[in-house]
Amino acid sequence: MNRGVILENLNQECPWCGMEIEDAFHLFADCNFIKKFWDLFSGWWNSRICSISTIEDLFGLCFPISFSGNGKMAWGIAVAAALWSIWTARNDRVFRGGSMNQKDILLHTKMHALIWIKNGNSNLQLCEDVWWEDPSSAIIPAKGNEEFEWLPPEEGSVKFNVDGAFNSKKAGCGGVLRSSKGDISAIFSGPVDCISPEFAELMAIKLALDLFIQTDWVGKVKLIVESDSQKVLNWISNPNGRPWKWWSYFNEIDNGARKSGSVNFVFVPRARNGLADHLAKAGVNRENLFIAWW
């Protein structure tokens, strides 16, 4: 009541399967929506999950899996992230009328698990480019191959990794803003109208600048924008080579760079741009642009 929730008016049925809340809690996975999600989750890990019929089965997922060491630790964190993502999606639907499908919940799970692993397990290193499709193969030793590791900026700087994705029918873009400590402060992922890989990359850079100037960091830190498209970065640094058909977008990027203060545009190999790459690929199939910052 103190938080503005009128308990008497709440629908006492599960928002996905229509079961009574008490029954849905004890037979959580009987909801077809949740079953389909766990099929996606097990497919992501390339692992066959045992039958789930009760809430106890869900919380017991850590035990029947054959992973060991860091692999089992990553699996356990991913399961926790999945449960958290389902719970927050359920609350968003009940209290705010939101809507999220299984694939979106899996994307949130992947991002949450990656963030939790990086922030809380210094000895568990991941190849971000592999994590999104095959997490069990993404684990590398703490002193593993550095060419796959995202490199944090120096203190007093933040880094916005961006990328564009393209196929014959659709295009998308994505980006992630991180501090010198590796903490994620903002992400975006969404579709791009013009079907062109260069334009998708260009829009990713524009959106990164638009998002950055809304943060409290403007004028306080240096911004590094990393992209794996040398061609687009050359256009930004050399106005004489810019395509005329996109001139208005270049002007917006120039304006955004001036408002952002100190900005450096830097090329990065795709292997070190894994999170932005996945957000861009996910954006291809999104209907709307997803933006979040904190």
Side-chain angles (χ1 to χ4, degrees):
M1 184 70 71
N2 292 336
R3 296 180 180 274
V5 179
I6 310 302
L7 298 178
E8 292 81 0
N9 295 336
L10 285 180
N11 187 342
Q12 295 300 309
E13 294 182 347
C14 171
W16 285 314
C17 67
M19 296 175 64
E20 292 293 326
I21 289 295
E22 184 175 354
D23 293 335
F25 179 80
H26 292 290
L27 297 172
F28 192 43
D30 280 357
C31 171
N32 193 48
F33 184 98
I34 304 300
K35 275 189 172 181
K36 288 182 179 179
F37 169 78
W38 286 108
D39 286 342
L40 290 174
F41 184 87
S42 59
W44 171 43
W45 275 86
N46 195 26
S47 175
R48 187 174 181 179
I49 297 178
C50 60
S51 177
I52 300 173
S53 59
T54 68
I55 195 68
E56 287 78 13
D57 290 339
L58 282 176
F59 286 108
L61 281 174
C62 297
F63 302 106
I65 301 303
S66 60
F67 304 124
S68 61
N70 284 341
K72 189 168 185 177
M73 182 185 298
W75 165 264
I77 293 173
V79 170
L83 293 171
W84 175 253
S85 298
I86 291 172
W87 177 249
T88 54
R90 177 265 180 197
N91 287 348
D92 182 63
R93 181 162 182 170
V94 171
F95 297 112
R96 290 180 290 274
S99 177
M100 187 177 295
N101 59 36
Q102 294 96 338
K103 290 184 178 180
D104 282 343
I105 295 177
L106 182 61
L107 174 60
H108 282 224
T109 296
K110 293 178 179 181
M111 289 191 293
H112 278 122
L114 179 64
I115 293 170
W116 292 352
I117 288 172
K118 286 185 169 292
N119 287 347
N121 298 273
S122 59
N123 293 324
L124 206 172
Q125 300 295 321
L126 299 174
C127 175
E128 290 186 1
D129 194 39
V130 179
W131 169 256
W132 305 96
E133 303 301 330
D134 186 6
S136 61
S137 300
I139 301 168
I140 57 178
K143 296 182 179 179
N145 194 339
E146 294 184 354
E147 72 174 287
F148 295 105
E149 297 180 13
W150 174 84
L151 299 179
E154 63 181 12
E155 190 173 352
S157 301
V158 295
K159 182 179 288 188
F160 221 135
N161 286 82
V162 300
D163 202 3
F166 166 80
N167 60 37
S168 60
K169 297 180 180 180
K170 297 179 181 180
C173 64
V176 53
L177 176 65
R178 288 184 269 205
S179 70
S180 58
K181 296 181 180 179
D183 297 331
I184 295 178
S185 298
I187 59 173
F188 67 85
S189 174
V192 173
D193 292 334
C194 184
I195 309 302
S196 162
E198 289 81 13
F199 184 76
E201 197 81 26
L202 195 67
M203 289 303 298
I205 294 174
K206 176 186 175 300
L207 285 169
L209 294 173
D210 290 344
L211 185 51
F212 178 75
I213 61 179
Q214 297 182 56
T215 70
D216 296 330
W217 278 339
V218 176
K220 300 178 182 178
V221 297
K222 298 178 181 178
L223 174 63
I224 300 170
V225 178
E226 284 191 341
S227 164
D228 55 29
S229 175
Q230 188 65 67
K231 184 175 184 179
V232 173
L233 292 176
N234 289 341
W235 288 342
I236 292 176
S237 62
N238 180 20
N240 293 328
R242 296 174 175 177
W244 279 98
K245 60 182 177 180
W246 298 331
W247 198 259
S248 61
Y249 297 102
F250 285 110
N251 285 337
E252 292 184 46
I253 289 175
D254 291 340
N255 291 332
R258 283 191 290 269
K259 293 178 181 178
S260 298
S262 177
V263 184
N264 287 329
F265 296 94
V266 179
F267 173 78
V268 62
R270 182 173 294 273
R272 287 181 171 169
N273 206 32
L275 180 49
D277 177 65
H278 182 80
L279 289 170
K281 291 177 179 176
V284 170
N285 296 314
R286 294 190 65 88
E287 294 183 1
N288 301 300
L289 178 66
F290 171 80
I291 298 178
W293 72 91
W294 48 90

